[in-house]
Every structure is written in structure tokens, then in C-alpha cells.
Amino acid sequence: MQSKTLDDLDSGALRGATVLVRADLNVPLAEGAVADDTRIRASLPTVRWLREAGARVVVLSHLGRPGGAPDASLSLRPVAQRLQELLGTDVRFVEAVAGTALAEAVAALPAGGVLVAENTRFDPGETGGDEALADRWAELADVYVNDAFGSAHRAHASTTAVARAVRRRGGEAVAGRLLEAELRFLERVLEAPDRPLVAILGGAKISGKIDVVKALLPRVDRLLVGGAMANTFFRALGLETGRSLVEDDRVDVARATMEAAGDRLVLPVDCVVADALEAAAATRIVPRARVGTEETVGDVGTSTREAFASLIADARTVIWNGPMGVFELEPFREGTVAVAQAVARATDAGALSVVGGGDSASAAEVAGVSDRLSHVSTGGGAFLELVAGVPLPGVEALSPRDGEGS
Ligand code: ADP
Ligand code: MG
């Protein structure tokens, strides 16, 4: 770990101290209530630890994209309510992002109390990384804790500017339990993995992930590619892809990648095709060279599933991002489920497995294997940037550990 964590704090000195926690409480809402509380649960270890140390815990988070202005439908109030239920203790909510109302609520908070401020993105300064907004938060805080892995790739006021502002005032800015766990797992996978290291990449687009492909190729023993991403590689091989999703402007990159990768890059050999990607679609499985001009590729075929599963079975480390097909629709689900199960079996047999990406995490849920994987990351963009070797601004802004630079 390059940055300090909760364990680097003097817990005796936290009693009565105000600790600002940037959590990732960006959960889906339905009819004004929390529809999936996974991210709230993921934030509990940090909040509990700070409460037990007697800190006054002030939680900041964004929710959705209100665009810098208050939007009642994106209030954190129901999230604070759910946090209260999960913690089993009183959680206060203040309808202010910063300023006097927040300062008064913080002043009234007892040691061990928890307060949730309003959606940080209701303030136009949040996404721009506004220093003045950051200073208003820093004035209230003795310590800043970043536990929002899902936002660590953003240089926003509540992720980077406030960390620097707290440090300027002599306070510490440290990683919370969730952020720490995410970084440690990714470090283990990327820096000294047990081999073979097998990476699986899928999803809709190659464009958002080409840096990930380039960063992974020199490190992995095998890179298995599925999803619509594979179609762009098919095109680079000169194959017919019909009406499938292909990124024409990435065909050259795909070709260059294939040439550089040699047999480390493993593409699907067959595909599930249909007239359209619809829930009621009639499907066929064809070799990849037999996709019709009017057909659309929606999943990897059975031979591919077997080939991928046997490579995954040999792995000692697996990193997975992106579904193998349109797993949201039943006719195109099986390839992703087969890969998820193969990763779970490899993990049962002792491999370390890390899955990242919003859709990949829900695919693991759909396949019923989430509990059998070593780590399911809560971050999408942050996970991909970390895998691509891009430093995360939210981590860089924290207090460095001794001897690790600044
Ligand atoms: P993650 O969120 O895990 O990073 P992505 O967002 O990159 O994953 O990709 C997920 C999306 O890719 C899913 O919505 C899925 O339907 C889509 N997808 C996968 N395979 C195909 C395909 N063959 N054609 C069209 N879309 C696909
Ligand atoms: Mg996605």
C-alpha cells in the first residue's frame, strides 16, 4: 500500500475527533427507496471501526448525476435511512452538502455518532474539484478517510481536493477498509500473481478497454476475449460479422493487438447468433466463420465455452471483466454463466479470482457464484484504470506511507 490506512491512525486520538468519510453510496433507487444496498453494506466496516474508536463520523457521497444542482429524486436521505438500519444505530441526515447547516449538524454530533450529508453532486463544485468547497469540508474535519473505490478514478472535490485540504491543515488523509481491500487484491493480482494468470475480457466495446488489453497482455499467460469486443477482432481476421456490434474504427488496433499477442490472445471459435438481440430471439450456434450477413452475434458458442473453461481450470490467478454475451437476455446468457462457473470452480480449487465491472458483478450474481469468487470489486471505471496501470487520483491524494514519496 502506498497510502496510509485506518491502521496508521492513532485510534486513541480519534475519540471525539471529526472524521470525514467519502463513501461510495451511489446505489440504485426505485420509488424513492434503496433497490440494492450492496455498496452501503460495503461501507460498513469503515464506519463501524470509526464509531467504535469514538469518532464523530461525517459521511459524504455522490448519488447519480444531478448535474451540480439539488434534485429531490437523488437525495441521500433514503440511503442514510438504510445505513441506519444496517448499522443498527442512529444515523442523522442533513439536507446540506456543506456550509453552516452541515457545520451545525457536525457540532451537535456526539462522539460515536454518524451523520450523512446531502449528495455531493448537488454542489456545482464537486465534479470540478473545487478547492473552496473542499476547504469548507476540511475546516470541519480532523481526519479524512477515502473509502469510495468506485470514485477513486475521479479528481473531484470530495475525493482529491478535500484530501489535500485536510493534509494542508495538518490532518491525515487515509484509505478506508474497502478502498484498502480493493487496492490490495488488485496489487496481488497484478504485481506478483501465481501463474498461470488468465484474464477474461468481454463486454460491449473494445474502445473503452483497449488500454486494459494493452496493459494486461504483457502480464498474462492467456487473455480470453468474448462479448461484442470479440466481433471487432473477428473483423480484423477478415470474417463476416453481419449486423453485430463492431467498432469499425478499432479494427486496426485489434489487428495490431492480435499480431503482438500471438497465442496468448484467445478468441471465440463459435458464436450464438440470432436475427436480433431480443428476449424472444431464436438462436443458432455457428462457427465464427459462418456468421450470416443478416445475423447478430449475441454470445460465445459451446466450443468456446469449453475451451475457455479448460484454460480457466488451469489458472492460479484469474481476472475477469466484461460479460461474454448479452447476458441480460436469456437466449444469450449461457456463455457468461459458463465462464462464471469456471472461474468459481478454479477458485474452489485454490486460484485467486478477482472480478470487476458493474455488469460483470451482476453477471456473477445471475450465475449464482459471487460468494465463491475471491473478490468482486465494487468499482467499474476505477477497477479498469487500476488494471490498465493508471494511477487513481483519489489514492494519490492520500497521506503517503513513510518512505513512499508524496
Ligand atoms: P462491465 O460493466 O462489467 O465493465 P461492460 O459495461 O463493458 O461490462 O459490458 C457489458 C455489456 O456488454 C452488457 O450490457 C452486455 O449486454 C454487452 N454485450 C456483451 N456481449 C455483447 C454482444 N455480443 N453484443 C452486444 N452487446 C454485448
Ligand atoms: Mg458496464
Side-chain angles (χ1 to χ4, degrees), residues 202-205 209 226-231 244-245 272 277 296-300 320-329 332 336 355-362 380-381 383-384:
K205 290 187 170 177
K209 297 187 181 175
M229 250 183 133
N231 300 336
S244 307
L245 178 58
V272 175
L277 301 177
T296 304
V297 175
D299 196 4
V300 296
W320 176 26
N321 167 263
M324 297 293 100
V326 186
F327 76 102
E328 299 92 333
L329 302 178
F332 309 103
T336 301
V355 175
D359 291 297
S360 310
S362 58
F383 172 87
L384 289 174

Side-chain angles (χ1 to χ4, degrees), residues 40 113 272 324 339 376:
I40 307 178
V272 175
M324 297 293 100
V339 161
V376 179

Side-chain angles (χ1 to χ4, degrees), residues 201-214 217 223 225-236 245-258 265 267 321 384:
L201 281 181
K205 290 187 170 177
I206 198 173
S207 50
K209 297 187 181 175
I210 194 68
D211 290 339
V212 177
V213 174
K214 284 185 176 154
L217 265 176
L223 177 62
V225 171
M229 250 183 133
N231 300 336
T232 304
F233 284 99
F234 291 163
R235 190 69 73 74
L245 178 58
V246 173
E247 288 173 278
D248 290 307
D249 55 342
R250 303 293 156 145
V251 173
D252 288 344
V253 181
R255 188 177 297 114
T257 304
M258 265 167 15
L265 184 75
L267 295 173
N321 167 263
L384 289 174

Side-chain angles (χ1 to χ4, degrees), residues 257-266:
T257 304
M258 265 167 15
E259 280 162 13
D263 62 6
R264 268 175 301 144
L265 184 75
V266 185

Side-chain angles (χ1 to χ4, degrees), residues 1-9 167 172-175 177 180 183-184 187 395-406:
M1 285 288 291
Q2 59 170 42
S3 53
K4 290 190 177 175
T5 69
L6 294 181
D7 296 322
D8 295 302
L9 297 174
R167 289 172 61 196
E172 296 278 19
V174 306
R177 290 283 182 245
E180 182 186 353
L183 296 174
R184 284 194 196 282
E187 239 169 48
V395 176
E396 301 252 288
L398 300 175
S399 307
R401 297 192 79 131
D402 298 336
E404 304 240 359
S406 63

